[in-house]
Amino acid sequence: MTQLLGVALRGTGSCLPARVVPNHEFTDALNLDTSDEWIRTRTGIRERRFAGLGETSATLGTAASRNAIDSAGLTADDIDLIVCATVTPDLMCPSTANLIQAGLGCRHIPAFDISAACSGFLYALSVASQFVRTGAAKHTLVVGAEVLTRTTDFTDRNSCILFGDGAGAVVLSGTPVLNAGIRMIRLYSDGTRQELIQVPSKVTPNPPPGPPQLQRLDYLRLSGREVFRFAVTRMVELIEQAEIDCRELGLSGIDVLIPHQVNQRIIDAALESSEFPSEKVMVNLDKYGNTSAASVPIALDEALRTGRCKPGDTVLLVAFGGGLTWSSALIAL
Ligand SMILES: CC(C)(COP(=O)(O)OP(=O)(O)OC[C@H]1O[C@@H](n2cnc3c(N)ncnc32)[C@H](O)[C@@H]1OP(=O)(O)O)[C@@H](O)C(=O)NCCC(=O)NCCS
């Protein structure tokens, strides 16, 4: 009989490219009809990081993973599984997780990618945690890694100002305490609204409809206003559901909320509707913009490193994005 285990968050790490791109570069260097003031007041973003030459989801993901493995007090040899969430893989095949496995020098362990856009990290966390809970893996590496600026149309002011590159990673480990660590993960999707965020590729059958400047196959396409409304509605639902989950699981409440770092106005609107206290929310989108699947693990790593959350806290992670997908995880640190 399989012995079910608790799933502890044992280590975290992140990696951001060195190149900082402040808002004024969109006007000064790219001649875009926008302004630092518009971007700051409509999104909360002040700057973001752009991957440099040779930096990819795999290289950033490998560096973030090394930091997570170090912070867990383990070595690459201890890892039994790698799950990487990305919508900007280095290659269609092999997976970014395979490249990370090679980069870290891990044993011949299973490694694969998950595609769920900005919810990807929580989807990956769910899959990896089930390997740990059943005893199929002792230590797993979960990575969110993106270079979304490589799919961005820098003539489209509606979308190009939003995104940044980076990677975050966590190590999950089995613990005999069933009520430790990951307490609840909720995952959702609605493919009927797939057109709201898309990144076509060479295998996309027909060029998707859209304005002429977005006809290039590999450009990210976004209906910002509709996504804004979807994100607020789902974030409110996820927070309210997590508060119910806390009561049912006997947890005293949410100490820190780490939302997908997408737009300060989305976060503010959701906090107001759900009456969730803003002082309990971790935000770093002003520095990094929206890094898609990497945003939640980067913010989680920063929250832990800066003492924003500490052992004993209950943390709620919340994410939403293309698919459409939305998701949450309640973790007792
Ligand atoms: C994209 C987003 C920042 C736009 O903000 P908004 O307040 O909804 O703005 P709107 O789309 O209503 O546009 C308002 C006006 O600003 C203009 N505008 C858009 N981007 C601009 C920019 N960078 N600079 C200046 N003006 C801009 C629009 O053209 C529009 O002008 P119009 O009224 O003359 O048509 C916001 O909707 C958002 O963050 N959406 C979600 C982002 C997302 O999808 N992320 C990925 C998935 S998680």
Side-chain angles (χ1 to χ4, degrees):
M1 197 175 83
T2 308
Q3 168 78 54
L4 285 182
L5 297 170
V7 185
L9 183 76
R10 179 153 173 170
T12 63
S14 57
C15 176
L16 279 309
R19 187 176 162 213
V20 178
V21 178
N23 290 341
H24 68 75
E25 274 204 27
F26 291 97
T27 46
D28 300 354
L30 293 165
N31 259 332
L32 212 59
D33 181 15
T34 185
S35 66
D36 171 51
E37 204 251 333
W38 193 97
I39 300 170
R40 268 191 296 105
T41 53
R42 293 298 188 106
T43 70
I45 300 166
R46 290 173 181 276
E47 58 191 34
R48 71 287 291 142
R49 302 294 179 92
F50 278 15
L53 210 62
E55 280 180 318
T56 66
S57 291
T59 67
L60 296 169
T62 303
S65 299
R66 261 196 211 103
N67 293 336
I69 293 168
D70 279 353
S71 93
L74 299 171
T75 69
D77 260 355
D78 296 314
I79 301 299
D80 300 314
L81 167 76
I82 302 174
V83 187
C84 178
T86 185
V87 288
T88 49
D90 293 28
L91 299 156
M92 296 282 287
C93 170
S95 75
T96 305
N98 283 131
L99 306 186
I100 292 172
Q101 179 206 9
L104 294 172
C106 293
R107 292 175 285 113
H108 293 164
I109 53 172
F112 56 90
D113 286 0
I114 281 193
S115 170
C118 304
S119 297
F121 177 75
L122 292 186
Y123 271 66
L125 198 72
S126 172
V127 171
S129 73
Q130 295 180 54
F131 275 76
V132 175
R133 204 173 290 290
T134 58
K138 189 168 176 199
H139 304 293
T140 68
L141 185 62
V142 186
V143 190
E146 303 280 15
V147 286
L148 264 179
T149 64
R150 299 244 164 89
T151 69
T152 305
D153 176 3
F154 285 99
T155 65
D156 177 25
R157 68 176 184 174
N158 291 289
S159 62
C160 72
I161 50 123
L162 298 170
F163 299 104
D165 303 328
V170 304
V171 173
L172 300 179
S173 296
T175 151
V177 189
L178 255 179
N179 284 346
I182 296 182
R183 301 301 307 276
M184 174 70 77
I185 298 185
R186 292 185 177 274
L187 308 176
Y188 305 91
S189 75
D190 177 7
T192 65
R193 305 185 74 201
Q194 59 184 276
E195 75 290 349
L196 294 189
I197 308 171
Q198 291 190 336
V199 187
S201 78
K202 279 195 170 153
V203 293
T204 305
N206 300 303
Q213 78 271 21
L214 291 184
Q215 289 297 323
R216 237 192 78 178
L217 267 182
D218 52 354
Y219 278 161
L220 180 144
R221 314 148 62 80
L222 183 74
S223 303
R225 232 175 275 185
E226 287 84 346
V227 175
F228 191 109
R229 279 195 290 271
F230 148 77
V232 173
T233 309
R234 295 308 184 190
M235 190 169 155
V236 171
E237 284 173 12
L238 291 166
I239 293 172
E240 291 177 351
Q241 181 61 57
E243 283 170 335
I244 296 169
D245 290 340
C246 272
R247 284 195 290 279
E248 290 182 355
L249 293 166
L251 295 165
S252 58
I254 300 158
D255 297 302
V256 181
L257 166 61
I258 302 182
H260 174 40
Q261 307 289 311
V262 49
N263 182 324
Q264 186 66 53
R265 285 166 50 229
I266 290 177
I267 295 172
D268 290 344
L271 296 184
E272 196 182 326
S273 287
S274 58
E275 296 181 17
F276 192 89
S278 58
E279 61 276 12
K280 290 187 173 182
V281 183
M282 168 72 197
V283 174
N284 64 4
L285 62 86
D286 52 320
K287 294 184 290 187
Y288 305 131
N290 179 353
T291 56
S292 189
S295 104
V296 168
I298 290 172
L300 174 63
D301 181 49
E302 184 172 327
L304 280 160
R305 277 189 296 104
T306 57
R308 186 79 178 71
C309 49
K310 51 190 184 317
D313 281 352
T314 298
V315 176
L316 174 65
L317 312 179
V318 165
F320 36 80
L324 296 175
T325 56
W326 58 107
S327 51
S328 67
L330 258 181
I331 306 176
L333 293 179

